[in-house]
Amino acid sequence: MAIAIASATRSPVVPTTTILVADEATSPDPHAAELRRCRTITMPESGCDAVWDAERQRFFHGRDGHR
């Protein structure tokens, strides 16, 4: 009972975490700029399809893991 009361009266602990964001300007990914552009497109576009396919190939190292 004492533990429940102590837990209920303590203020919540706010975690202090640092979020690191990679600088995309120095990204080793040659498709980074094109992928950012393609994220905003709502209609199919062959250029974006090709970039996404290349990115999948890079991610899966040639394995067919997206099906």
Side-chain angles (χ1 to χ4, degrees), residues 5-66:
I5 293 170
S7 295
T9 58
R10 289 179 68 184
S11 60
V13 177
V14 179
T16 56
T17 58
T18 303
I19 298 173
L20 301 175
V21 178
D23 181 14
E24 291 181 354
T26 59
S27 174
D29 183 8
H31 303 120
E34 187 66 8
L35 289 170
R36 276 193 310 277
R37 183 186 74 80
C38 291
R39 285 184 201 129
T40 63
I41 295 175
T42 58
M43 298 298 293
E45 184 179 302
S46 62
C48 288
D49 291 342
V51 170
W52 283 114
D53 285 341
E55 189 65 13
R56 275 191 292 277
Q57 288 295 319
R58 186 180 77 84
F59 181 79
F60 289 111
H61 304 288
R63 295 185 306 254
D64 190 19
H66 65 278

